Each structure stands twice: as C-alpha cells, then as structure tokens.
Amino acid sequence: MSWPESCALIGILDDGWAGLSDSARQRLAVAELVIGAGRTLALVRPWLSATAMTRDMDGALGELPDWVLSARAAGQRVVVLATGDPLCHGIASWLTSRLGRDDVDILPNVSTLQLAFARFKTPWQDIRIASCHRADAGEWFVGATPTHGLYPLMRAIAMHPRVALFTSPENNPARLARALITAGYGDEARISIACRLQMPDERLFADLAADEVAAMAFPEPNIVLVERPASPGGPAFGREDLEYRQRSPEKGLITKQEARALSLAKLRIQPAAVVWDIGAGAGSVGLEAARLAPFGHVWAIEKNAADAANARSNAAHWRIGNYTLVEGRAPLGLDTWPDPDAVFIGGSGGELVVLIEQVLARLKAGGRLVMNFVTLENLATATAALSECNAVWELVQLQASRSQPILDMHRLAAQNPIWVVTARRGEDCS
C-alpha cells in the first residue's frame, strides 16, 4: 500500500481502538511516529508496530509541528492523536496553519459534543459551542472585562439560549453555575453535565438547577449544556427615559432618548467595538452601546456615587454583561483601558480639554468621539480644543419637543436644546 506523505491527524475517544475507523487503524498500524497526549497514546500503544516511536505532547504542544516536520523529512509516517473531532475546538486548525492544509490528513471521530447530546437525547443543531479552556481568572464578577477566562462563555450565554461548553479543571461546572447566578441567570438556567464519556465510570447529570450545580463536584473530564428560555430581548437602543433608574428626586439627569439615539448613531458602533462612556450618569448611553456591541465591551466611568449605583442597577436589570463601570473622576484610570473605537462624553467634571486630547490620542483609526453639551461655554471650549488638536468635527443642534396632555387635548413641551458634537482625528478623514 502506498501511503501519502501527509501527517495523519486522527480523532480518538476513550473507547480507544474499538472506536476507530478502519482507515484510522490502518494509518496507526504502519505509523513510525505517533504523537499524542499520554492518555491517548496509552489507548493505542498495544496495536502499534514494535518499531514505532511515540512522543508525549503533554506540556509540549508548541513543539508538535517541529516534531512532525523532522519526522517527515526523515521519510517517516507520522500520526498525531487528538480527542474526538479535531476540527471542533481541537488542534486541527492550529496544526494545519503551521504545516499547511495539504500536508495534514484529518480523520475525525465522533465529537464528544455529539456523544453528550446523544446521551441526553436532545438535538443540538441550534446550540452555540463555547470553551472554558483559558487561563484561570477566578470566579466571575459583575463588571468583568474580556481578559477574564469565563468572558467568551458568558457572552455566548447572554446571546444564546442553548450553549454547550468544554470545561477545564479550574473553570468547572460548579464555577460556571456560580457565574450564571452572579450574572442573573440563576433562577432560569438548567444545567446538564456529561462526565467521562465512553469510560467505564461514565456519569450523566441532567436538568439541574444552577444552585444545585454550584455546590457539587463532578468527575472530569466533562461537558456542560446550559439551557434557558430565550430572552424577551427589547430594543437594542431607544429605551424610554423612565425605564432607567435615575437619581431621585432629580429625575431627568440622564441623556434623554432623542439625544441618546442621535449620539449612538453618530458613534457608528460596530458589533465588536470597544466603547468608552465618560460621565456615565445613569448608564443610558453606555448600556445601549453595549447592546449594539454584543461582541465588544463598554468601559464606563462616573464620579457621582448615586449615579454610579443607578448605572449598576440598570446594568443588572437588563443583564448587560459586557459593561464595566468604574466609580471615579476621568481622566484618572483611562490609561488602563484598551484603545477605543468609539467614545461618548456626557460629563467631563471640569476636565474637558484634557479628555478631548487624551481621547483623540487613543482613538483607533476611523474611531469617533461624540459629546453632548447644554451650555455655550462648554461647546466653545470643546470646539476650540478640537481645532487645536487638528480634529475633524461637525455639530448638530437638537431641539425636541414632547407632547403633554392638557385637558382633553395635547400640547408640545420643549426640551432643552442639545449640541451633539462628532469628532475624528484629522488623519482619519479622507
């Protein structure tokens, strides 16, 4: 038989040799070098050639491509073992990117996800797949940023009613359940766990409540299914002012709906945008920006403790998880935030010129700065600072009136005029 020179990447499960296809067995039988984790190598070692060499890649994954290239250069037939389907959260894409697609033959097995859903007897064509295989960042907390190990998983859960995930020893089912409770999903989420699939001690835990899972330990390795009712949704932006918790008795200290809608439009927020909200107030702009950037994140800062508390309450009420609020006075702390795609300044705390300079220096190419003003003095200060920074800017005066009942009729009540300033760095305009 004439074997191709390509490396064979073979998926294997814990039933070992019995679960392999004939073609996978044939490639292993004539392999001169077999590379895999210690556990997978043990599953096939009795069936390998007496002269075959093995290499354990536990803790040495980065060396794998060089091992393969060296063996192939020496004319050896090489097999790499992976778990289940290597193209589903496995090493296939990483390995082919280093060896080339034409130099790797992929022989997948049934994925562990397929097995888990078969055990639970539930379809899985509509699920979202996520993974917890990231650095251990500890327990989930309100305001966690994208650097947290559970962040991609929590975003997946926020956007999808059915999520299947691969766990890790640190980010285990109990920690996940506690994260769901922290994020406000504890009362509605149902969790199923498939443990040690295809092993003699395989165990299944179906349809558990989050508080049950949070207090339990589960055999490893395991796969988790999180199911919850589809969110009622609501508008991505444009909520009524009175839907927001605001400072009392001074109602109205938020960016009102008309100005908010125009400001968000001027920000041109993309789905994965990094957004800054400076002078967050009750959080109306930042929270709606977070809905417009479901794959991004909003960093907000507010100096007034009562307003900051209201912003946190509003974020919790609508379960906005891609939102981090800092209580403090800008620009302190902004240097620790990632460079923004969009910045909204609703309040400056007397630091308007410094904020404009820092924001323009940090904006990504094509990014936008939007500011709202109600006084002529702040407007004049802002436009002068923008001109000094050679920014490109434009101005809209927004004057809105709202209907109010009067006897059995209605009249229009004028709101305060708002100036909405939109700015870009000079070199971004062409």
Side-chain angles (χ1 to χ4, degrees), residues 179-341:
L180 291 171
I181 294 169
T182 299
Y185 300 109
D187 291 339
E188 64 184 41
R190 307 300 297 181
I191 303 174
S192 300
I193 304 102
C195 306
R196 300 181 64 80
L197 289 167
Q198 298 286 67
M199 299 185 196
D201 56 348
E202 174 180 306
R203 295 189 66 187
L204 302 175
F205 302 83
D207 198 36
L208 301 180
D211 57 354
E212 293 180 89
V213 177
M216 295 175 65
F218 296 89
E220 296 178 356
N222 52 61
I223 291 174
V224 174
L225 168 63
V226 177
E227 299 178 285
R228 62 181 182 83
S231 298
F237 73 101
R239 290 188 182 276
E240 300 292 340
D241 296 345
L242 293 180
E243 292 184 71
Y244 287 95
R245 182 174 179 178
Q246 305 169 40
R247 205 190 321 169
S248 179
E250 304 170 83
K251 293 283 188 182
L253 294 179
I254 68 169
T255 301
K256 291 185 171 58
Q257 185 186 53
E258 294 83 358
R260 192 186 328 136
L262 177 59
S263 298
L264 289 166
K266 292 293 187 181
L267 285 168
R268 295 170 64 97
I269 295 171
Q270 299 294 315
V274 172
V275 183
W276 292 5
D277 180 13
I278 298 173
S284 61
V285 173
L287 294 173
E288 295 190 10
R291 292 289 298 272
L292 293 170
F295 304 105
H297 197 85
V298 174
W299 276 260
I301 187 167
E302 172 52 49
K303 63 183 177 62
N304 182 279
D307 284 335
N310 286 333
R312 293 191 189 97
S313 177
N314 290 324
H317 178 69
W318 286 304
R319 295 191 297 205
I320 305 296
N322 55 332
Y323 180 82
T324 300
L325 177 69
V326 176
E327 190 172 323
R329 183 184 292 272
L332 294 178
L334 300 187
D335 58 328
T336 66
W337 293 1
D339 290 347
D341 299 287

Side-chain angles (χ1 to χ4, degrees), residues 89 113 117 124-131 152-153 155-157 159-165 224-226 295:
H89 286 269
L113 281 180
F117 280 90
W124 68 297
Q125 69 271 8
D126 61 337
I127 69 158
R128 177 75 172 189
I129 302 173
S131 175
L153 166 64
R155 293 310 304 145
I157 288 171
M159 292 184 282
H160 300 277
R162 301 182 77 223
V163 178
L165 61 121
V224 174
L225 168 63
V226 177
F295 304 105

Side-chain angles (χ1 to χ4, degrees), residues 51-76:
T51 59
M53 297 177 57
T54 60
R55 300 198 78 156
D56 190 334
M57 65 182 184
D58 284 328
L61 183 62
E63 301 180 57
L64 174 58
D66 289 337
W67 292 348
V68 174
L69 291 172
S70 296
R72 290 186 61 214
Q76 293 180 311

Side-chain angles (χ1 to χ4, degrees), residues 380-394:
T381 298
T383 54
L386 291 170
S387 297
E388 184 67 24
C389 293
N390 296 315
V392 178
W393 59 272
E394 63 183 29

